[in-house]
Amino acid sequence: MRRYVFLLVFLVPLLTAQTNPAAVAAQEWRKQHEHVIMDEFVALLSIPNIASDRANIQRNAETIAQMMQKRGIASKLVSVPGANPVVFGEIKTPGATRTIVFYAHYDGQPLDPKEWATPPFTPTLGDKQIERDGQVIPLPGAGKPFDPEWRLYARGSADDKAPIVAMLAAVDAIRAAGLKTKSNIKFAFEGEEEAGSTNLDKILAANKELFAGDVWLSCDGPLHQTRRQSITFGARGISTVDITVYGPRGELHSGHYGNWAPNPAMTLVQLLASMKDQNGRVLVDHFYDGIEPLSETEKRAIAEAPNAEADLMREFWLGSTENAPMKLAELITLPSLNIRGMASSRIGNQASNVIPATASVTIDMRLVKGMDPRQTADRLIEHIRKQGFFVADQEPSADVRRAHPKVALVVRRNGENPHRVSMDLPISQEVIRAVESVRGPAVKIPNSGGTLPDVAERVLGMHEIGIPIGNHDNNQHSYNENLRLQNLWDGIELMAALLTM
Amino acid sequence: MRRYVFLLVFLVPLLTAQTNPAAVAAQEWRKQHEHVIMDEFVALLSIPNIASDRANIQRNAETIAQMMQKRGIASKLVSVPGANPVVFGEIKTPGATRTIVFYAHYDGQPLDPKEWATPPFTPTLGDKQIERDGQVIPLPGAGKPFDPEWRLYARGSADDKAPIVAMLAAVDAIRAAGLKTKSNIKFAFEGEEEAGSTNLDKILAANKELFAGDVWLSCDGPLHQTRRQSITFGARGISTVDITVYGPRGELHSGHYGNWAPNPAMTLVQLLASMKDQNGRVLVDHFYDGIEPLSETEKRAIAEAPNAEADLMREFWLGSTENAPMKLAELITLPSLNIRGMASSRIGNQASNVIPATASVTIDMRLVKGMDPRQTADRLIEHIRKQGFFVADQEPSADVRRAHPKVALVVRRNGENPHRVSMDLPISQEVIRAVESVRGPAVKIPNSGGTLPDVAERVLGMHEIGIPIGNHDNNQHSYNENLRLQNLWDGIELMAALLTM
C-alpha cells in the first residue's frame, strides 16, 4: 500500500471537505467515544461467527439485537426453519415518506486458525499490517488514543461486522447532536451470507411487509484500492460449470499408445482454447447478446474512476492484462469467462508416463445485466457441441464413450442473476450526494465485478446500492482478516449521513 | 480379454507348431516342476523392490546371485558408487564364437499399497483378473496343478522379475535334457531401471569387457495385445519437460479481476493447443525433421502386424483415435507429443472463485531414430517463444514476470535417445528364427512405443533386441501388477530356445 500514500496526500483535502452536519456530529462524537465504540466492536468480534456454528450464530444475533435494544431501537430475530436468523431493527420516523434498509451480515467465512497470525476470535491490534512486518500491540488503556492506521485483526472485523458497529455508533452520534432521521430506517443483518445466503429469499418473502422499503443499502465489501469511497449499483451474476472430457478408460502408457489413444488433456485444452481469443474476448456464439448497454452516466462514472491498473500490475507481478487497453472499471461491466481450475492426472515429480484418463475444468462466467445464468450455460454447452463433442449431463457410460469421437460431461453449478440499478434514478442521485458530502468524490461503480445475490430486488422489488466501508487490503475470506481503524471512523460518519438522508 | 479368445483358437495351431528341441525339453521339464518354479518366483517377488529402498534392493540382488550360484552359474554384483548393483552371471561355452547377453531388471515401479487389491509384496494368485471379478485363491498344495490362466499378483511379477525366473528355469531344463549352449551366455539384471537407469551407463562403461557381447536381448515389457509373441528392434526415445505459466502473484477473486488479470490456465491451454492439430499432428516447427525412414522390411513388418485397434478401442472405451486411420503399429514409429498431466488451482467442489496464480503441465515427447532429446526440447522451447513467451529456466522473479506479457518456466526432465536395429542384420534374422521356432509367427516391431535406454548400443556398441514375455494386460507401472501363468510357461520355452541359439 506504500505506493498509494503519495496519491493519498493529494486526496486528503477532498476527503476532509466535509459539510454534512450529521457527519460532523459523528466525527465529534466518535473522537470522544473511541474506547466505547471499540469495546462494543471487540465484544461482538469475540463471538465466533461461522455460519455452520449455530450456537454462536445465535449468540451473535442476540448480542446485536441487544445492542439495538440498548439504544431503544425495536429489534427482533426473523427466521425460517433451518436458517440462521436475520436481526431486524427499525427506527420509525413520524411523517417520513421513505424507508431506507441498511443491510450487513454478521457471519464470517470459514477459517483455519492455524493459518492466522493471531487467534481469529480474539480481536487483536496490529500497529500495521501483520503480513508486512506489523507488530501485535495491546488495546490502549482508557483515555489513551488509537492510531487510525492500526488494524484490528479478527474474523468479521471487515467482512462484515464493522458496518453494524458503525451504524449503531452513528445512531448514538446523531441523537447526541439532537439531529433527526428524515426517513424510516430499517436494519437487516444476515447470519449466513458467507454460506451462500441460501435462506435470505425465504426470510424476506415470508416477511415482505417487515423488510419493505425504497432502497436497500448493502454495506459489505471493501473500498476502492485507492482508498476512495466507492458506491456500487449492482453486481455481476455468475454461471458456473464443471466440464470433464474423456480419454481411455484408465491411464495408458504414453509410449505404447501415445500418438494413437486420444489424450483428454489435449482434447480439453483445444476445447478451452476455442472459448477465448488471445486478447480475452469470449468466442462462444451469442455470449454477448442481450447485454444492456451502459448509460451515459455509467460511462462517465467509469471514465472518472481512478486508474489503479499500473499499481495493481506491480502488486500482482503482471506483465500484461487481458482486453488491454480497457480499464478494469469498464471490464467488470462486461461478462467474463474464467478458468477456476484445471486437472488431469499428475504433474512434475508426481507425473507418470501416461495418457491421462480424464481432464477436468471448472469455469465461472460472470454475467452483466441482460444476461441469464441458465441461458449463458446453454450457450457454452452449445459451443462445446459445435466443437464436435457429445455433451452428457451425467457420467457417460462405456457405450456412450465408444459411440462418440469426443464426449464431455458438463455439470451446471450455481447461478446468480446480474443486477444493476440506474445511477440516474432520484434515489441513486440522492445516495451519491449523501455519500459525497461526507467522503468527497466517490468512485461510482455501475456493478461490482463480484457476485451478490439480487434478493432485495427480486423478492422485495427494491433498488439495491452497495456502500462499503472496509479497507481494500482487509484479507476478507482469507486468514488475517483485519479492519484499518480509520475505515471504521470514516464509516461512522458515512452512516450518520445516510441515516439522516 | 474374452474378445481375443476367438482369435486365439486360430492361433493355437501356429503357437504349438514347436520344433525347437530346447523348447520341447523346457515344456517337459516345466510340466514336472511347476511348483519348484513358482516357489522360486514367489520367494523373489516377496522381496520389496522399489529402487530407492536400498536395503531390499541389496536383498534382491543377493538372492538372484544365489539363484545363479545354486545352478553353478558364476555370478557377482557389479556397481558404481551410489548405484543399485547389476547382478552379472555368465555361462561360458567352450569354442563359442558369439556372446549373447540376456538383460532384465529386478526393481519395480514405486507404488501406493492402498491402491492395490492385494499386498504388492505378498505374491497372491487370482483365478482371473482381479479387476474383472477375479477371486483371490490360495497357492495350490504340492502336486496340485496350476491353471495357466491364473494370475500372480505382485509388484515385479511381470515387470520385470518373470524373465529372470524364466531364464534360470530354462537353464535347468536344458541341462536336464542334456542340451548344450552354443554361444557364450551372459546375464545382466539391473536394479534401477524404473528409476531411470541413471547408473547403467557408468556400470557398463566401467566394466566393458565383462558385459561385452554380440547381441543384447532385453527381456522386458509385454507381448502384443493379441497375445502373439513380439520382437522389438528398438525403442522410441523421450524428452520430457515441465512447463509452468504465470498469472497473478497469488490467486485473485475471479469477480473483482476476471476479464482483466490474465488467467494462467487459459494462457497455458492456448499454448498447448498451438502444439498439436485436431488430428494429432505436432505443429512444433522442425519437430519431424531428420527422422530416419523405415526400411522395406520394417514397412512389411508393420503391414503384417495384427490390427488390434478395434478391440483396443472397445477395451479402452474410445470413440476415436488420433491420426486415424493410421495403424498403431505404424504410429509408434513416429514421434508423439503427450500431456502427462496438467494442474491449475482446484476443480469441482474444491474450486474457489479465483483466477489461478499458475498453471502447469508435464509433457513427454517420444522420439524415433534420427531425433535427439535435447534438440527436440529446444524446438519445443522455440515454439513456446514463438507464441510470445519469455522462457525462463528457473523460477522467474517478480521483475521478470512484470517485464514480459507472458512468462513460461520450462524445466527439462529426463531424455533418452531413440534407437532401432535393422531387421535385416544376420543376428536380427537369427533371433527371429529362434523365437518363431518356439512361438510361431512373431509380431516384429521396428521400435517399441515406449522408451528403453540404448545403453548397450551406446556404451558397448551392441545390437539390442527386445524379447518380452509378460501378458499385455499386466498392469505394469500401475497397481495390481500381475503375470498370467501361461506367459511364464511360454517364457521358459522361449528362453530355452534363445539360450541354445
Side-chain angles (χ1 to χ4, degrees):
Chain A
M1 273 311 84
R2 274 150 295 182
R3 14 193 176 295
Y4 292 121
V5 170
F6 202 66
L7 189 58
L8 282 172
V9 171
F10 293 98
L11 289 171
V12 166
L14 294 171
L15 294 176
T16 53
Q18 193 168 106
T19 55
N20 186 298
V24 171
Q27 188 174 94
E28 277 311 302
W29 193 89
R30 182 265 299 174
K31 285 180 177 166
Q32 305 304 320
H33 297 85
E34 286 184 354
H35 279 268
V36 175
I37 299 165
M38 284 296 287
D39 287 350
E40 191 171 44
F41 194 22
V42 165
L44 183 58
L45 291 172
S46 300
I47 312 172
N49 69 339
I50 309 309
S52 57
D53 177 0
R54 291 300 175 90
N56 277 313
I57 282 292
Q58 189 68 22
R59 284 178 61 211
N60 274 282
E62 287 169 4
T63 300
I64 295 166
Q66 284 157 14
M67 286 160 63
M68 291 201 271
Q69 283 153 13
K70 198 175 72 180
R71 290 163 167 96
I73 302 171
S75 75
K76 60 178 172 177
L77 309 193
V78 186
S79 196
V80 294
N84 291 348
V86 171
V87 187
F88 175 83
E90 186 166 15
I91 301 175
K92 287 189 175 152
T93 303
T97 56
R98 183 172 60 190
T99 299
I100 305 172
V101 184
F102 288 79
Y103 166 91
H105 64 88
Y106 61 85
D107 68 309
Q109 273 276 324
L111 55 80
D112 177 357
K114 288 191 296 292
E115 296 179 326
W116 286 61
T118 63
F121 298 114
T122 303
T124 305
L125 275 182
D127 61 359
K128 52 184 179 173
Q129 281 176 277
I130 283 181
E131 54 278 26
R132 301 208 173 172
D133 305 324
Q135 297 297 314
V136 166
I137 51 173
L139 284 166
K144 298 246 180 74
F146 290 86
D147 182 326
E149 290 300 329
W150 288 350
R151 308 262 176 154
L152 187 63
Y153 281 82
R155 173 56 88 222
S157 57
D159 181 23
D160 185 36
K161 285 177 169 175
I164 299 173
V165 170
M167 288 171 200
L168 298 183
V171 168
D172 292 339
I174 292 164
R175 288 178 174 170
L179 298 170
K180 300 272 183 235
T181 54
K182 296 194 266 301
S183 309
N184 284 318
I185 303 296
K186 292 179 179 176
F187 299 103
F189 300 139
E190 189 187 0
E192 48 195 359
E193 197 269 347
E194 300 294 4
S197 295
T198 42
N199 294 296
L200 188 59
D201 280 55
K202 286 175 234 159
I203 293 173
L204 298 190
N207 299 278
K208 283 189 181 177
E209 280 302 309
L210 191 69
F211 289 99
D214 298 281
V215 65
W216 177 281
L217 298 183
S218 180
C219 302
D220 193 7
L223 300 190
H224 192 264
Q225 297 91 345
T226 53
R227 290 191 176 168
R228 277 177 62 184
Q229 180 65 46
S230 51
I231 313 175
T232 307
F233 293 85
R236 287 203 280 198
I238 197 166
S239 182
T240 306
V241 295
D242 293 331
I243 304 172
T244 294
V245 304
Y246 298 87
R249 176 186 184 181
E251 294 182 349
L252 292 180
H253 191 288
S254 70
H256 300 154
Y257 299 103
N259 240 16
W260 178 79
N263 184 309
M266 184 54 78
T267 308
L268 183 66
V269 303
Q270 289 173 334
L271 172 62
L272 294 171
S274 75
M275 293 180 182
K276 243 175 150 172
D277 72 15
Q278 292 275 341
N279 198 33
R281 187 165 174 87
V282 178
L283 300 174
V284 173
D285 283 349
H286 307 294
F287 189 76
Y288 297 96
D289 285 6
I291 292 175
E292 193 168 292
L294 295 174
S295 69
E296 290 308 311
T297 309
E298 288 162 339
K299 286 181 188 165
R300 199 165 53 243
I302 289 169
E304 288 169 4
N307 193 325
E309 276 81 341
D311 284 315
L312 290 174
M313 285 178 74
R314 271 196 62 79
E315 174 98 3
F316 299 149
W317 299 3
L318 295 178
S320 64
T321 59
E322 277 193 345
N323 296 294
M326 283 171 80
K327 284 176 78 165
L328 177 55
E330 179 168 6
L331 287 168
I332 59 172
T333 67
L334 294 173
S336 69
L337 184 153
N338 174 65
I339 298 177
R340 289 187 167 188
M342 211 164 53
S344 183
S345 191
R346 298 161 304 282
I347 60 163
N349 290 328
Q350 274 68 51
S352 307
N353 55 348
V354 296
I355 299 165
T358 61
S360 300
V361 66
T362 295
I363 288 175
D364 66 40
M365 294 172 287
R366 301 281 174 170
L367 318 177
V368 295
K369 199 165 185 184
M371 296 175 80
D372 173 79
R374 186 154 191 94
Q375 185 185 49
T376 302
D378 287 344
R379 287 170 176 169
L380 183 70
I381 289 169
E382 190 52 33
H383 176 86
I384 297 169
R385 287 205 182 94
K386 283 181 188 162
Q387 309 306 310
F389 287 83
F390 175 82
V391 175
D393 60 3
Q394 52 186 315
E395 189 65 29
S397 68
D399 285 343
V400 166
R401 288 168 59 175
R402 288 180 188 125
H404 301 280
K406 294 195 277 189
V407 176
L409 167 66
V410 181
V411 177
R412 296 162 191 264
R413 299 176 75 85
N414 70 317
E416 291 273 6
N417 290 316
H419 49 106
R420 195 165 78 219
V421 171
S422 168
M423 290 185 194
D424 296 319
L425 293 177
I427 186 68
S428 301
Q429 288 295 315
E430 207 167 339
V431 167
I432 292 170
R433 274 194 301 275
V435 171
E436 295 193 332
S437 72
V438 190
R439 302 271 298 131
V443 180
K444 296 175 280 291
I445 300 168
N447 61 257
S448 71
T451 300
L452 293 168
D454 65 341
V455 55
E457 180 178 326
R458 189 158 28 84
V459 180
L460 303 173
M462 290 169 74
H463 301 302
E464 182 170 338
I465 298 175
I467 312 276
I469 70 170
N471 38 301
H472 81 282
D473 54 358
N474 66 37
N475 296 333
Q476 70 181 75
H477 292 204
S478 185
Y479 47 88
N480 298 341
E481 179 179 345
N482 67 83
L483 189 78
R484 175 174 161 265
L485 298 193
Q486 184 63 47
N487 283 67
L488 181 61
W489 305 157
D490 291 342
I492 295 170
E493 297 169 32
L494 177 61
M495 291 303 150
L498 291 165
L499 283 163
T500 54
M501 198 174 73
Chain B
M1 273 307 82
R2 273 152 297 180
R3 15 193 175 292
Y4 292 122
V5 169
F6 202 65
L7 189 58
L8 284 173
V9 170
F10 292 99
L11 289 173
V12 165
L14 294 173
L15 295 178
T16 54
Q18 193 170 100
T19 56
N20 186 299
V24 171
Q27 187 174 95
E28 277 311 301
W29 194 88
R30 182 267 298 174
K31 284 180 178 166
Q32 305 304 319
H33 297 85
E34 287 184 354
H35 280 266
V36 175
I37 299 166
M38 285 295 287
D39 286 350
E40 191 169 45
F41 194 22
V42 165
L44 183 58
L45 292 172
S46 300
I47 311 171
N49 68 338
I50 309 307
S52 57
D53 176 0
R54 292 299 176 90
N56 277 313
I57 282 291
Q58 189 68 22
R59 285 178 59 211
N60 273 282
E62 287 168 5
T63 300
I64 294 166
Q66 283 156 14
M67 285 160 62
M68 290 201 273
Q69 284 152 13
K70 199 175 69 181
R71 290 166 169 93
I73 302 172
S75 74
K76 59 177 172 178
L77 309 193
V78 186
S79 197
V80 293
N84 291 347
V86 171
V87 186
F88 175 82
E90 185 167 16
I91 301 175
K92 288 189 173 150
T93 302
T97 56
R98 182 171 62 189
T99 298
I100 306 172
V101 184
F102 288 79
Y103 165 91
H105 64 88
Y106 61 85
D107 68 310
Q109 273 275 323
L111 55 82
D112 177 357
K114 289 193 294 294
E115 296 180 326
W116 285 62
T118 63
F121 298 113
T122 303
T124 305
L125 275 182
D127 61 358
K128 51 184 178 174
Q129 282 176 277
I130 282 180
E131 55 278 27
R132 303 211 169 168
D133 306 323
Q135 297 297 314
V136 166
I137 52 173
L139 285 165
K144 297 248 180 77
F146 290 86
D147 182 327
E149 291 300 328
W150 288 349
R151 309 262 175 151
L152 187 64
Y153 282 82
R155 172 58 85 222
S157 57
D159 181 23
D160 186 38
K161 286 178 169 176
I164 299 173
V165 170
M167 288 170 200
L168 298 183
V171 168
D172 292 339
I174 293 163
R175 290 176 174 172
L179 298 171
K180 301 267 182 239
T181 54
K182 294 194 267 299
S183 309
N184 284 318
I185 303 296
K186 292 179 179 175
F187 299 103
F189 300 140
E190 190 187 0
E192 48 195 358
E193 196 270 347
E194 301 295 2
S197 295
T198 42
N199 295 297
L200 189 57
D201 281 56
K202 286 175 236 159
I203 293 174
L204 297 190
N207 300 276
K208 283 189 180 178
E209 280 301 310
L210 191 69
F211 289 100
D214 298 281
V215 65
W216 178 280
L217 299 183
S218 178
C219 302
D220 193 7
L223 299 191
H224 191 265
Q225 297 89 346
T226 53
R227 291 191 176 167
R228 277 175 64 184
Q229 181 64 48
S230 49
I231 311 174
T232 307
F233 293 85
R236 289 203 278 197
I238 197 166
S239 183
T240 306
V241 295
D242 294 331
I243 305 172
T244 295
V245 304
Y246 298 86
R249 175 185 184 179
E251 295 183 349
L252 292 180
H253 191 289
S254 69
H256 300 155
Y257 299 103
N259 241 16
W260 177 79
N263 184 310
M266 184 55 79
T267 307
L268 182 66
V269 304
Q270 288 172 334
L271 172 62
L272 294 173
S274 75
M275 293 181 183
K276 240 174 152 173
D277 73 13
Q278 292 276 341
N279 197 34
R281 187 165 175 88
V282 179
L283 300 175
V284 173
D285 283 348
H286 306 294
F287 189 76
Y288 297 96
D289 286 5
I291 292 175
E292 190 169 297
L294 295 175
S295 69
E296 289 309 310
T297 309
E298 287 162 338
K299 286 181 188 166
R300 199 165 53 242
I302 289 169
E304 287 170 4
N307 192 325
E309 276 83 339
D311 284 313
L312 289 175
M313 286 179 73
R314 272 196 63 77
E315 174 101 3
F316 298 150
W317 299 4
L318 296 177
S320 63
T321 59
E322 278 192 346
N323 296 296
M326 282 170 80
K327 283 177 80 166
L328 177 54
E330 180 168 4
L331 286 169
I332 59 171
T333 66
L334 294 172
S336 69
L337 184 153
N338 175 65
I339 298 176
R340 289 187 167 189
M342 217 165 47
S344 183
S345 191
R346 299 161 302 282
I347 60 164
N349 290 326
Q350 274 68 52
S352 308
N353 57 348
V354 295
I355 299 165
T358 61
S360 299
V361 66
T362 295
I363 288 175
D364 65 43
M365 295 172 287
R366 300 282 174 169
L367 319 177
V368 296
K369 199 163 183 183
M371 297 175 78
D372 173 79
R374 186 153 191 97
Q375 184 185 50
T376 302
D378 287 344
R379 288 169 177 171
L380 183 71
I381 289 169
E382 191 52 34
H383 177 88
I384 297 169
R385 288 205 182 94
K386 282 182 189 162
Q387 309 307 308
F389 287 83
F390 175 81
V391 175
D393 60 2
Q394 52 186 314
E395 189 67 28
S397 68
D399 285 342
V400 166
R401 287 167 60 173
R402 288 182 187 124
H404 301 279
K406 295 195 277 189
V407 176
L409 167 65
V410 181
V411 177
R412 295 163 191 261
R413 298 178 73 85
N414 70 318
E416 290 275 3
N417 290 315
H419 50 106
R420 199 164 75 218
V421 171
S422 168
M423 289 184 196
D424 297 320
L425 294 176
I427 186 69
S428 301
Q429 288 294 316
E430 205 168 341
V431 168
I432 292 170
R433 274 194 300 275
V435 171
E436 295 193 332
S437 73
V438 190
R439 303 270 300 132
V443 180
K444 294 176 281 288
I445 301 168
N447 62 258
S448 72
T451 299
L452 293 168
D454 66 339
V455 55
E457 181 178 324
R458 189 160 26 84
V459 180
L460 304 174
M462 289 168 74
H463 300 302
E464 181 170 339
I465 299 174
I467 312 277
I469 71 169
N471 37 302
H472 82 281
D473 53 358
N474 68 36
N475 296 331
Q476 70 181 78
H477 292 203
S478 185
Y479 47 89
N480 298 339
E481 178 179 347
N482 67 83
L483 188 79
R484 175 174 161 265
L485 298 194
Q486 183 64 47
N487 283 66
L488 181 60
W489 305 158
D490 291 343
I492 296 168
E493 296 170 32
L494 178 59
M495 292 303 150
L498 291 166
L499 284 165
T500 54
M501 197 173 79

